[in-house]
Amino acid sequence: MNLKRKDLLGIQDLSVEEINLILQTADSFKEVSGREIKKVPTLRGKTVVNLFFEPSTRTRTSFELAAKRLSADVINFTTSTSSVVKGETLLDTASNIQAMRADFIVLRHPAAGAPNILARALQASVINAGDGGHEHPTQALLDLFTLREKKREFRGLRIAIVGDISHSRVARSTIYALNKLGAQIRVAGPPTMIPRDIERLGVSVFYTLDDALQGVDVIMMLRLQLERQGIALFPSIREYATCYGLTPERLHLADRDVIVMHPGPINRGVEISPEVADSPSSVILDQVTNGVVVRMAVLYLLSGAK
Amino acid sequence: MSHVADRSRRRPREGQILIRGGRVIDPGHVDGVADILVTDGKITEIGRDLKTPPGIKVLDASSKLVVPGFVDLHVHLREPGFEYKETIKTGTAAAAAGGFTSICCMPNTNPVNDTRAVTEFVLDRAKTAESVHVFPIGAITKRSEGKELAEYGDLRAAGCVAISDDGRPVMNGMVMRRALEYARAFDLPVVDHCECMHLSEGGVAHEGLIATKLGLQGMPSAAEDVIVARDIELAELTGGRLHVAHVSTAGSVQMVRAAKARGIRVTAEACPHHFTLTEEAIDEFNTNAKMNPPLRTSRDVQAIKAGLKDGTIDAIATDHAPHAAHEKQREFEYAPFGIVGLETALGLSLLLVEEGVLTLEQMLRALTSGPAEVFGLGKGTLRAGADADITIVDPEAPWVVEPDRFHSKGRNTPFAGWKLKGRVVKTLVAGRAVYP
């Protein structure tokens, strides 16, 4: 079995069958990750290049581990300023990397659609590791994998996504994924952080967190980008934490068996209180563990497609 | 004696051309099969079966449309300063190929056209190009910085036909007021790219469903509407001539319509892409559909069509904005705004006729006398005595948009591969063929 595609650019164009295939494949890699020797020879001789134009420790490390556990060679090419400063275009940078015979390019980039440019131009498989405010497909897949472990059934699941939906690629990928799988999605945040026409993507919108949390099975808190305070989106961190922070009291509004997710890194005491982050409801570290196996599955399934 | 005189009268004169047997449409004046006699670059006679000397140079226009050369109020020729995108030579060649005989070029060059010297340079280059008429538009403010007024008197005397800080809208309401007021002395229309830069800050696409899906920062319709509203009030206050560039929202159309009804001196133009495409065209991050103002919704498209139909919108203008290929092969957010338009304007405008939105005459008016009157160019007509700026169109000819065959240096169009109907077969400027 493999994915009949060269690249993974987003959840939007994945079918339910493809999503399920990735999750099932990740199951078998989860078993590998529990072994003493956490390594299989599947991608021996293949080269994975992590091309990161934004700082990211978690996602890059997760991809690196995933590739290494599949016995691929991994190169990390990280630059926050990007070669744009030197005048080189993204496509030129990537073409150079392909000329060194990379099989996979894992791209993190601040501009939406950047992976699409590479995917069209290169033979290498391109995996989107987050592009601007667009998509972060492997994050959504690892969230699905974690949900599946904890809740079994996606259909009818009530989930609230809370925070800056406008600028969140995690929110978009999660919305696309859970819509396909039949969950009921609520988004919540101040109106300045809810993008126009979002209801047309099949979600309901809440401006009051307490209303959004009533009876939900899953709460996904988004990281607050602190630099957006002031005139931009919210008056102060203090006010944001008061109105939109997830506290133990608010957790009681949700279903008794609610789980709390966060794509990390968390701002303790801002969008999530330390008590909630460390509570039994929190699956934040499970998400991190599952990130590696889901990314192993993606690398494996794309390698078969070529 | 009489025998000799007769012979001399019937001998073709050097500089005479007969355009024979086409359907001549001069919006508002003529529509019917006729011949046009051109003498020394002027139209001297229009009529059926004109008697002309044997041996005169004849252009057979049977089954073709013979119309005034098109007039474009909004073109970026990029020279001086950005010759890698376009030059006055390539830009005028693109205009001729698209059936345009008069084009007005925006001042956002480097240096900005805010002085007589730059205006004269542009006119000098245009003369050397020996193609279509070029009418420069001067800057509203020095270096288009939105602070100090440019020298409108000198710009007008040098040949500018309007003023605009296109691409860098005048944000300070007082500066705009003074511009509209001061320009009255020279009867210059003030052309505003209506965009509140605060509301559109960081935006790269229309704020709506598609931008939300793609995770792109949006530019709301309100960013255009609030400046259109401001400018209309200022036009009323000052009595100045306001021309609203590239109308893209339903709100703008409605406000211009209401302002005209109130007798305010306001005119407006719309671009073919804004009445042909919606925000959907940027899906898949197509940088060739990235322009400013952005493609909006089908409701806006309908409003622009209605505005063209009832005359609220005076002109079809292209906002021809060539860019180099490598500039558009970028991340969507980093690619520059703008598309080329001179060579697709006719084919796209004819779609409005096919759809029944406009009559052929209405559509031609929006490409000829409509824009010519907005800037007072004295162009866009076939009346006897006018310059023989004439475009001959085969209205039935099917063709495919192939950017590699453009005369413009720019290949940046969202219409590549489109099958259109209606092609320019010949363009005459003062009786001289500039295309093909």
Side-chain angles (χ1 to χ4, degrees), chain A residues 12 84 89-90 109-114 116-117 120 131 133-134 167 172 176 195-198 200-201, chain B residues 206-217 220 279-280 283-285 326 329-334:
Chain A
Q12 206 180 3
V84 170
T89 66
L90 170 66
H109 198 282
N116 302 58
I117 299 176
R120 276 194 293 269
D131 61 326
H134 181 220
H167 297 90
R172 280 177 185 72
Y176 296 139
R196 180 169 301 232
D197 291 340
I198 187 86
R200 290 170 68 188
L201 297 184
Chain B
H206 172 66
E207 184 177 313
L209 179 65
I210 303 298
T212 290
K213 268 164 97 169
L214 296 178
L216 296 170
Q217 184 81 23
E279 55 177 343
E280 302 274 346
D283 222 346
E284 302 293 316
F285 300 98
H326 70 265
Q329 285 164 2
R330 295 286 323 261
E331 298 86 331
F332 190 90
E333 291 164 52
Y334 309 155

Side-chain angles (χ1 to χ4, degrees), chain B residues 77 79-80 87-89 92 105 113 115-136 158-160:
Chain B
L77 289 176
E79 189 179 355
T87 63
I88 289 170
K89 192 168 177 60
T92 52
C105 59
N113 184 7
T115 56
R116 169 184 283 271
V118 180
T119 302
E120 286 177 348
F121 169 85
V122 169
L123 288 171
D124 188 54
R125 280 299 161 99
K127 200 171 169 192
T128 315
E130 295 190 317
S131 181
V132 304
H133 302 290
V134 172
F135 295 97
C160 284

Side-chain angles (χ1 to χ4, degrees), chain A residues 47-53 59-60 63-64 67 74-77 97 102-109 115 118 125-130 138 295 299:
Chain A
T47 305
V48 176
V49 176
N50 285 326
L51 183 53
F52 276 57
F53 289 91
T59 305
R60 187 189 51 70
F63 268 107
E64 185 172 353
V74 186
I75 300 295
N76 290 313
F77 185 108
I97 289 166
D103 299 288
F104 294 90
I105 293 180
V106 178
L107 181 69
R108 159 70 60 95
H109 198 282
L118 296 196
S125 281
V126 176
I127 298 173
N128 182 4
T138 57
R295 289 173 176 123
L299 285 165

